[in-house]
């Protein structure tokens, strides 16, 4: 396995293969090599600000007030975005709707999983 993935728990790159598992030297987490290969074949993994994996249909919470282009209404901290959609091939953006603003494209660095 030429490309060893980062740890799914702590997101650190200090990982190494050990038999049939991959081990994180920083937090001690172990996971099977087969699961790591399946994750890389599946494509891009989208993570929130805390490192939690986001999937289509999840709900997220905005962690700071955001100005929205094309709208006079800001997106306030604590706003819940339900039923998000992942942008294909992009691990930094998601699409979703709030109660007041439809058709949002948001950066995941301003979101946490609800």
């Amino acid at each position: 396995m030429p490309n060893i993935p980062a740890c799914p728990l702590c997101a650190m790159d200090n990982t190494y293969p050990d038999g049939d598992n991959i081990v994180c030297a920083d937090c001690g987490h172990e996971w099977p090599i087969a699961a790591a290969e399946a994750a890389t074949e599946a494509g891009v993994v989208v993570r929130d600000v805390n490192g939690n994996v986001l999937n289509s249909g999840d709900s997220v919470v905005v962690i700071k007030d955001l100005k929205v282009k094309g709208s006079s209404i800001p997106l306030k901290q604590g706003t819940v975005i339900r039923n998000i959609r992942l942008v294909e091939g992009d691990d930094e953006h998601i699409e979703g709707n709030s109660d007041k603003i439809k058709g949002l494209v948001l950066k995941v660095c301003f979101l946490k999983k609800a």
Side-chain angles (χ1 to χ4, degrees):
M1 187 170 176
N3 189 9
I4 300 174
C7 178
L9 289 183
C10 67
M12 299 298 288
D13 290 325
N14 192 10
T15 57
Y16 60 91
D18 184 26
D20 291 334
N21 291 331
I22 296 176
V23 180
C24 177
D26 294 316
C27 70
H29 178 64
E30 295 184 24
W31 68 99
I33 290 176
E37 289 175 351
T40 56
E41 289 175 4
V44 179
V45 177
V46 179
R47 296 183 183 273
D48 70 355
V49 70
N50 295 327
N52 299 319
V53 176
L54 297 176
N55 298 309
S56 290
D58 285 348
S59 295
V60 293
V61 178
V62 178
I63 62 169
K64 75 177 245 183
D65 291 353
L66 300 173
K67 294 180 182 176
V68 179
K69 290 183 181 179
S71 174
S72 61
I73 303 170
L75 206 55
K76 295 288 189 179
Q77 177 181 355
T79 302
V80 177
I81 309 294
R82 292 181 175 82
N83 288 333
I84 64 168
R85 293 175 304 280
L86 302 181
V87 178
E88 189 173 329
D90 187 359
D91 64 344
E92 294 185 13
H93 296 91
I94 59 106
E95 296 175 348
N97 298 319
S98 72
D99 294 335
K100 298 178 182 178
I101 306 170
K102 307 297 180 204
L104 292 168
V105 177
L106 299 167
K107 289 189 143 202
V108 294
C109 63
F110 300 118
L111 305 172
K112 68 178 180 179
K113 194 169 187 175

